[in-house]
PDB file of all heavy atoms in Angstrom:
ATOM      1  N   PRO A 935     -11.467   6.011  -3.939  1.00 94.00           N
ATOM      2  CA  PRO A 935     -10.129   6.621  -4.024  1.00 94.00           C
ATOM      3  C   PRO A 935     -10.265   8.146  -4.355  1.00 94.00           C
ATOM      4  O   PRO A 935     -11.336   8.508  -4.835  1.00 94.00           O
ATOM      5  CB  PRO A 935      -9.496   5.859  -5.210  1.00 94.00           C
ATOM      6  CG  PRO A 935     -10.609   5.291  -6.014  1.00 94.00           C
ATOM      7  CD  PRO A 935     -11.807   5.153  -5.080  1.00 94.00           C
ATOM      8  N   PRO A 936      -9.302   8.926  -4.140  1.00 96.00           N
ATOM      9  CA  PRO A 936      -8.016   8.651  -3.539  1.00 96.00           C
ATOM     10  C   PRO A 936      -8.053   8.420  -2.050  1.00 96.00           C
ATOM     11  O   PRO A 936      -8.773   9.138  -1.340  1.00 96.00           O
ATOM     12  CB  PRO A 936      -7.128   9.861  -3.880  1.00 96.00           C
ATOM     13  CG  PRO A 936      -8.040  10.960  -4.281  1.00 96.00           C
ATOM     14  CD  PRO A 936      -9.357  10.324  -4.687  1.00 96.00           C
ATOM     15  N   ARG A 937      -7.377   7.403  -1.590  1.00 96.00           N
ATOM     16  CA  ARG A 937      -7.402   7.005  -0.176  1.00 96.00           C
ATOM     17  C   ARG A 937      -6.176   7.271   0.595  1.00 96.00           C
ATOM     18  O   ARG A 937      -6.161   7.100   1.853  1.00 96.00           O
ATOM     19  CB  ARG A 937      -7.682   5.452  -0.109  1.00 96.00           C
ATOM     20  CG  ARG A 937      -9.079   5.017  -0.585  1.00 96.00           C
ATOM     21  CD  ARG A 937      -9.088   3.537  -0.573  1.00 96.00           C
ATOM     22  NE  ARG A 937     -10.433   2.947  -0.697  1.00 96.00           N
ATOM     23  CZ  ARG A 937     -10.705   1.648  -0.653  1.00 96.00           C
ATOM     24  NH1 ARG A 937      -9.649   0.798  -0.434  1.00 96.00           N
ATOM     25  NH2 ARG A 937     -11.901   1.187  -0.789  1.00 96.00           N
ATOM     26  N   THR A 938      -5.091   7.525  -0.056  1.00 97.00           N
ATOM     27  CA  THR A 938      -3.867   7.836   0.677  1.00 97.00           C
ATOM     28  C   THR A 938      -3.098   9.028   0.063  1.00 97.00           C
ATOM     29  O   THR A 938      -3.210   9.227  -1.093  1.00 97.00           O
ATOM     30  CB  THR A 938      -2.831   6.694   0.734  1.00 97.00           C
ATOM     31  OG1 THR A 938      -2.371   6.448  -0.618  1.00 97.00           O
ATOM     32  CG2 THR A 938      -3.470   5.384   1.247  1.00 97.00           C
ATOM     33  N   CYS A 939      -2.408   9.709   0.935  1.00 97.00           N
ATOM     34  CA  CYS A 939      -1.399  10.698   0.435  1.00 97.00           C
ATOM     35  C   CYS A 939      -0.360  10.895   1.448  1.00 97.00           C
ATOM     36  O   CYS A 939      -0.497  10.657   2.580  1.00 97.00           O
ATOM     37  CB  CYS A 939      -2.124  12.044  -0.002  1.00 97.00           C
ATOM     38  SG  CYS A 939      -2.658  13.073   1.371  1.00 97.00           S
ATOM     39  N   GLU A 940       0.804  11.257   0.915  1.00 97.00           N
ATOM     40  CA  GLU A 940       1.948  11.500   1.781  1.00 97.00           C
ATOM     41  C   GLU A 940       1.879  12.933   2.396  1.00 97.00           C
ATOM     42  O   GLU A 940       1.516  13.870   1.699  1.00 97.00           O
ATOM     43  CB  GLU A 940       3.266  11.263   1.026  1.00 97.00           C
ATOM     44  CG  GLU A 940       4.460  11.369   1.967  1.00 97.00           C
ATOM     45  CD  GLU A 940       5.684  10.764   1.408  1.00 97.00           C
ATOM     46  OE1 GLU A 940       5.626   9.880   0.510  1.00 97.00           O
ATOM     47  OE2 GLU A 940       6.796  11.094   1.942  1.00 97.00           O
ATOM     48  N   THR A 941       2.338  13.021   3.597  1.00 97.00           N
ATOM     49  CA  THR A 941       2.445  14.317   4.379  1.00 97.00           C
ATOM     50  C   THR A 941       3.790  14.355   5.020  1.00 97.00           C
ATOM     51  O   THR A 941       4.454  13.366   5.025  1.00 97.00           O
ATOM     52  CB  THR A 941       1.324  14.425   5.416  1.00 97.00           C
ATOM     53  OG1 THR A 941       1.397  13.360   6.323  1.00 97.00           O
ATOM     54  CG2 THR A 941      -0.090  14.398   4.751  1.00 97.00           C
ATOM     55  N   PRO A 942       4.215  15.519   5.568  1.00 96.00           N
ATOM     56  CA  PRO A 942       5.544  15.545   6.115  1.00 96.00           C
ATOM     57  C   PRO A 942       5.764  14.478   7.206  1.00 96.00           C
ATOM     58  O   PRO A 942       5.041  14.392   8.168  1.00 96.00           O
ATOM     59  CB  PRO A 942       5.625  16.894   6.783  1.00 96.00           C
ATOM     60  CG  PRO A 942       4.640  17.824   5.960  1.00 96.00           C
ATOM     61  CD  PRO A 942       3.573  16.850   5.595  1.00 96.00           C
ATOM     62  N   ALA A 943       6.781  13.559   6.928  1.00 96.00           N
ATOM     63  CA  ALA A 943       7.147  12.471   7.794  1.00 96.00           C
ATOM     64  C   ALA A 943       5.978  11.589   8.167  1.00 96.00           C
ATOM     65  O   ALA A 943       5.886  10.993   9.228  1.00 96.00           O
ATOM     66  CB  ALA A 943       7.793  12.937   9.050  1.00 96.00           C
ATOM     67  N   GLY A 944       4.951  11.510   7.285  1.00 97.00           N
ATOM     68  CA  GLY A 944       3.772  10.664   7.586  1.00 97.00           C
ATOM     69  C   GLY A 944       2.929  10.479   6.352  1.00 97.00           C
ATOM     70  O   GLY A 944       3.278  10.824   5.256  1.00 97.00           O
ATOM     71  N   MET A 945       1.765   9.905   6.615  1.00 98.00           N
ATOM     72  CA  MET A 945       0.740   9.771   5.566  1.00 98.00           C
ATOM     73  C   MET A 945      -0.645   9.858   6.102  1.00 98.00           C
ATOM     74  O   MET A 945      -0.897   9.642   7.250  1.00 98.00           O
ATOM     75  CB  MET A 945       0.973   8.475   4.853  1.00 98.00           C
ATOM     76  CG  MET A 945       0.774   7.177   5.647  1.00 98.00           C
ATOM     77  SD  MET A 945       0.862   5.662   4.745  1.00 98.00           S
ATOM     78  CE  MET A 945      -0.749   5.673   4.030  1.00 98.00           C
ATOM     79  N   LEU A 946      -1.567  10.185   5.219  1.00 98.00           N
ATOM     80  CA  LEU A 946      -3.013  10.211   5.584  1.00 98.00           C
ATOM     81  C   LEU A 946      -3.625   9.003   4.879  1.00 98.00           C
ATOM     82  O   LEU A 946      -3.272   8.656   3.690  1.00 98.00           O
ATOM     83  CB  LEU A 946      -3.687  11.467   5.135  1.00 98.00           C
ATOM     84  CG  LEU A 946      -3.314  12.778   5.842  1.00 98.00           C
ATOM     85  CD1 LEU A 946      -3.840  13.994   5.047  1.00 98.00           C
ATOM     86  CD2 LEU A 946      -3.963  12.742   7.203  1.00 98.00           C
ATOM     87  N   ASN A 947      -4.603   8.378   5.515  1.00 97.00           N
ATOM     88  CA  ASN A 947      -5.339   7.345   4.852  1.00 97.00           C
ATOM     89  C   ASN A 947      -6.814   7.449   5.212  1.00 97.00           C
ATOM     90  O   ASN A 947      -7.107   7.868   6.344  1.00 97.00           O
ATOM     91  CB  ASN A 947      -4.809   5.932   5.106  1.00 97.00           C
ATOM     92  CG  ASN A 947      -5.486   5.327   6.365  1.00 97.00           C
ATOM     93  OD1 ASN A 947      -6.647   4.797   6.203  1.00 97.00           O
ATOM     94  ND2 ASN A 947      -4.873   5.344   7.451  1.00 97.00           N
ATOM     95  N   CYS A 948      -7.689   7.099   4.246  1.00 96.00           N
ATOM     96  CA  CYS A 948      -9.087   7.005   4.545  1.00 96.00           C
ATOM     97  C   CYS A 948      -9.646   5.765   3.751  1.00 96.00           C
ATOM     98  O   CYS A 948     -10.536   5.820   2.975  1.00 96.00           O
ATOM     99  CB  CYS A 948      -9.882   8.249   4.101  1.00 96.00           C
ATOM    100  SG  CYS A 948      -9.762   8.639   2.381  1.00 96.00           S
ATOM    101  N   ILE A 949      -8.975   4.630   4.089  1.00 96.00           N
ATOM    102  CA  ILE A 949      -9.366   3.398   3.418  1.00 96.00           C
ATOM    103  C   ILE A 949     -10.842   3.110   3.784  1.00 96.00           C
ATOM    104  O   ILE A 949     -11.627   2.743   2.933  1.00 96.00           O
ATOM    105  CB  ILE A 949      -8.475   2.208   3.956  1.00 96.00           C
ATOM    106  CG1 ILE A 949      -7.011   2.462   3.870  1.00 96.00           C
ATOM    107  CG2 ILE A 949      -8.841   0.945   3.161  1.00 96.00           C
ATOM    108  CD1 ILE A 949      -6.412   2.712   2.518  1.00 96.00           C
ATOM    109  N   GLY A 950     -11.142   3.135   5.024  1.00 94.00           N
ATOM    110  CA  GLY A 950     -12.574   3.021   5.470  1.00 94.00           C
ATOM    111  C   GLY A 950     -12.971   1.611   5.671  1.00 94.00           C
ATOM    112  O   GLY A 950     -14.093   1.175   5.383  1.00 94.00           O
ATOM    113  N   LEU A 951     -12.076   0.786   6.252  1.00 95.00           N
ATOM    114  CA  LEU A 951     -12.373  -0.577   6.725  1.00 95.00           C
ATOM    115  C   LEU A 951     -12.881  -1.500   5.540  1.00 95.00           C
ATOM    116  O   LEU A 951     -13.774  -2.352   5.729  1.00 95.00           O
ATOM    117  CB  LEU A 951     -13.468  -0.581   7.829  1.00 95.00           C
ATOM    118  CG  LEU A 951     -13.114   0.282   9.077  1.00 95.00           C
ATOM    119  CD1 LEU A 951     -14.215  -0.014  10.128  1.00 95.00           C
ATOM    120  CD2 LEU A 951     -11.723  -0.119   9.675  1.00 95.00           C
ATOM    121  N   GLU A 952     -12.352  -1.355   4.335  1.00 95.00           N
ATOM    122  CA  GLU A 952     -12.608  -2.322   3.300  1.00 95.00           C
ATOM    123  C   GLU A 952     -12.236  -3.725   3.852  1.00 95.00           C
ATOM    124  O   GLU A 952     -11.128  -3.985   4.313  1.00 95.00           O
ATOM    125  CB  GLU A 952     -11.692  -2.038   2.038  1.00 95.00           C
ATOM    126  CG  GLU A 952     -11.971  -3.046   0.961  1.00 95.00           C
ATOM    127  CD  GLU A 952     -11.176  -2.748  -0.329  1.00 95.00           C
ATOM    128  OE1 GLU A 952     -10.835  -1.577  -0.573  1.00 95.00           O
ATOM    129  OE2 GLU A 952     -11.065  -3.763  -1.148  1.00 95.00           O
ATOM    130  N   ASN A 953     -13.259  -4.631   3.799  1.00 97.00           N
ATOM    131  CA  ASN A 953     -13.000  -5.978   4.219  1.00 97.00           C
ATOM    132  C   ASN A 953     -14.110  -6.917   3.703  1.00 97.00           C
ATOM    133  O   ASN A 953     -15.142  -6.485   3.332  1.00 97.00           O
ATOM    134  CB  ASN A 953     -12.856  -6.005   5.754  1.00 97.00           C
ATOM    135  CG  ASN A 953     -14.222  -6.061   6.408  1.00 97.00           C
ATOM    136  OD1 ASN A 953     -14.759  -7.063   6.750  1.00 97.00           O
ATOM    137  ND2 ASN A 953     -14.842  -4.860   6.655  1.00 97.00           N
ATOM    138  N   PRO A 954     -13.852  -8.252   3.671  1.00 97.00           N
ATOM    139  CA  PRO A 954     -14.807  -9.195   3.062  1.00 97.00           C
ATOM    140  C   PRO A 954     -15.965  -9.542   4.003  1.00 97.00           C
ATOM    141  O   PRO A 954     -16.815 -10.356   3.592  1.00 97.00           O
ATOM    142  CB  PRO A 954     -13.936 -10.438   2.780  1.00 97.00           C
ATOM    143  CG  PRO A 954     -12.857 -10.347   3.785  1.00 97.00           C
ATOM    144  CD  PRO A 954     -12.599  -8.949   4.091  1.00 97.00           C
ATOM    145  N   GLY A 955     -15.985  -9.065   5.268  1.00 97.00           N
ATOM    146  CA  GLY A 955     -17.070  -9.432   6.216  1.00 97.00           C
ATOM    147  C   GLY A 955     -16.685 -10.648   6.913  1.00 97.00           C
ATOM    148  O   GLY A 955     -15.820 -11.463   6.525  1.00 97.00           O
ATOM    149  N   ILE A 956     -17.343 -10.866   8.098  1.00 97.00           N
ATOM    150  CA  ILE A 956     -16.884 -11.949   8.989  1.00 97.00           C
ATOM    151  C   ILE A 956     -17.009 -13.358   8.361  1.00 97.00           C
ATOM    152  O   ILE A 956     -16.079 -14.183   8.525  1.00 97.00           O
ATOM    153  CB  ILE A 956     -17.727 -11.917  10.313  1.00 97.00           C
ATOM    154  CG1 ILE A 956     -17.271 -12.893  11.386  1.00 97.00           C
ATOM    155  CG2 ILE A 956     -19.226 -12.073  10.058  1.00 97.00           C
ATOM    156  CD1 ILE A 956     -15.992 -12.548  11.964  1.00 97.00           C
ATOM    157  N   ASP A 957     -18.070 -13.612   7.634  1.00 97.00           N
ATOM    158  CA  ASP A 957     -18.273 -14.945   7.090  1.00 97.00           C
ATOM    159  C   ASP A 957     -17.223 -15.330   6.045  1.00 97.00           C
ATOM    160  O   ASP A 957     -16.574 -16.423   6.191  1.00 97.00           O
ATOM    161  CB  ASP A 957     -19.650 -15.119   6.408  1.00 97.00           C
ATOM    162  CG  ASP A 957     -20.769 -15.079   7.444  1.00 97.00           C
ATOM    163  OD1 ASP A 957     -20.487 -15.289   8.663  1.00 97.00           O
ATOM    164  OD2 ASP A 957     -21.940 -14.721   7.102  1.00 97.00           O
TER     165      ASP A 957
END
Side-chain angles (χ1 to χ4, degrees):
Chain A
R937 290 175 169 184
T938 67
C939 75
E940 184 160 340
T941 55
M945 62 174 282
L946 289 166
N947 90 79
C948 61
I949 311 296
L951 305 186
E952 176 176 340
N953 81 94
I956 185 75
D957 292 338

